[in-house]
């Protein structure tokens, strides 16, 4: 896939994942320009059409679990949730007109992207595609937005995107070519949003500072009855670029707004209106250091606090809000032009066992977002006031040979992963174990 939320102009955040993809996994081949003409010097509308590109990608994988969990699920894993079963994760088509001109010029572009596969189950928008499918493989409009560059106020100007947007927070993204592993960290699944309808802005103050802000209807909801409450949410944050002679970049992004369904909050004995005042505070900061030509390291810290996701301790109160914090570290080492070694280590604290879960149904995740009934395996029967601290270590190889000008990207990514409850909560393998070992990976090819 040629486009993600960090590849768009004005919203890029140098992360380990994007570095691996851009420096190693994706050969520098020309994209197909369906509207290109021989009149390369033409102006006006025909010239604007000549920059439109169409790209595609197919990605699929499997994560084997020797313990053969009784429920058939790899606990705490979205993209490879079905143990010992191969999945077609994504078939992607992206039509894009990127804004790549001079920053002093007005520019208008767009992105249209559709994704079919098992990953789509987790990236729907309520009211647009969430009720159209009930199978494991589903179809979503992953991106559909207008991109405008405005040469205002500073030399870098202001970039704006309006429409269906992939959420910009965090290190790992949906695009498999822009992350180092097939599976995702707990942080990337439970503590960052996925998809929005709204507007995002990035103001390039100078060569060092970018300011990000935006407003939307909420995480994976739209308007009216398709919003799980009746209030918007929004982002604010800052990027620090070109530090240490261009080797270091720091990205901080925060988000605030109500995210809980009215029906869920009301189910705990509150009026539905409380969901509009029960704010969720998302905070993520990550820093990437390019140590040398081969070695890159990234550290991410995330903290989430939710005033509306509450759980009773016992048959009646008191009530506590949900909290989760995490630290994730990444390392990428380029072994050769076609081989990259990747490491990820994570500690994720779910204070009330309200964040990490496995949704045991093809539509359960989106039903939970919308406030409808859903099935889930959450904490293995452990007391909710105990909480769980998860540890996760993943090691992998990215083999990405250059197959010629007609193949934009090809990669094989085997990985091994170790998950463990650091406070001995038995949540894995159908509630039998306090740890889980999985191995597998994915393969991708794109034009």
């Amino acid at each position: 896939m040629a486009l993600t939320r960090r590849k768009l102009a004005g919203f890029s955040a140098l992360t380990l994942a994007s570095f691996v993809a851009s420096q190693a996994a994706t050969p520098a081949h020309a994209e197909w320009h369906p509207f290109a003409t021989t009149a390369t010097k033409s102006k006006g509308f025909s010239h604007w059409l000549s920059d439109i590109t169409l790209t595609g990608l197919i990605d699929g994988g499997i994560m084997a679990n020797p313990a053969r969990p009784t429920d058939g699920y790899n606990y705490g894993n979205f993209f490879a949730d079905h143990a010992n079963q191969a999945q077609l994760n994504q078939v992607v088509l992206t039509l894009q007109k990127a804004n790549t001109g001079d920053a002093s010029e007005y520019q208008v572009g767009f992105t249209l992207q559709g994704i079919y596969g098992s990953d789509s189950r987790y990236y729907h928008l309520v009211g647009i595609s969430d009720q159209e499918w009930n199978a494991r493989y589903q179809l979503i409009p992953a991106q559909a937005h207008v991109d405008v560059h405005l040469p205002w106020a500073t030399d870098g100007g202001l970039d704006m995107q309006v429409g269906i947007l992939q959420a910009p927070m965090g290190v790992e993204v949906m695009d498999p070519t822009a992350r180092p592993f097939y599976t995702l960290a707990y942080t990337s699944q439970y503590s960052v949003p996925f998809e929005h309808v709204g507007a995002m802005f990035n103001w390039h103050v100078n060569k060092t500072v970018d300011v990000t802000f935006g407003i939307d209807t909420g995480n994976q909801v739209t308007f009216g009855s398709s919003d799980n409450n009746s209030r918007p949410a929004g982002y604010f944050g800052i990027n620090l670029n070109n530090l240490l002679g261009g080797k270091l970049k720091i990205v901080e992004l925060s988000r605030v707004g109500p995210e809980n369904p009215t029906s869920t909050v009301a189910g705990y004995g509150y009026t539905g209106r409380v969901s509009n005042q029960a704010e969720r505070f998302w905070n993520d900061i990550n820093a990437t250091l390019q140590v040398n030509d081969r070695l890159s390291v990234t550290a991410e810290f995330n903290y989430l606090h939710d005033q509306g996701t509450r759980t009773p301790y016992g048959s009646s109160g008191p009530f506590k809000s949900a909290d989760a914090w995490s630290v994730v570290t990444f390392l990428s080492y380029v072994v050769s032009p076609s081989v990259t070694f990747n490491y990820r280590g994570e500690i994720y604290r779910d204070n009330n066992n309200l964040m990490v879960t496995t949704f045991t149904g093809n539509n359960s995740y989106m039903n939970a977002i919308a406030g409808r009934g859903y099935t889930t395996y959450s904490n293995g029967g452990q007391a909710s006031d105990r909480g769980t601290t998860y540890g996760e270590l993943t090691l992998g190889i990215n083999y990405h040979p250059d197959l010629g000008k007609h193949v934009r990207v090809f990669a094989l990514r085997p990985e091994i992963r170790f998950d463990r409850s650091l406070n001995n909560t038995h949540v894995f393998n159908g509630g039998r174990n306090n740890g889980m070992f999985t191995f597998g990976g994915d393969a991708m090819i794109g034009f």
Side-chain angles (χ1 to χ4, degrees), residues 93-110:
L93 285 177
T94 305
L95 188 68
Q96 178 190 9
K97 159 68 177 178
N99 291 333
T100 57
D102 191 274
S104 63
E105 301 175 347
Y106 286 91
Q107 301 173 56
V108 178
F110 68 87

Side-chain angles (χ1 to χ4, degrees), residues 220-244:
Q220 298 181 258
V221 297
T222 53
F223 297 96
S225 61
S226 296
D227 191 351
N228 56 10
N229 54 65
S230 57
R231 293 290 186 273
Y235 288 95
F236 55 93
I238 188 171
N239 293 8
L240 300 178
N241 313 298
N242 302 310
L243 304 176
L244 298 182

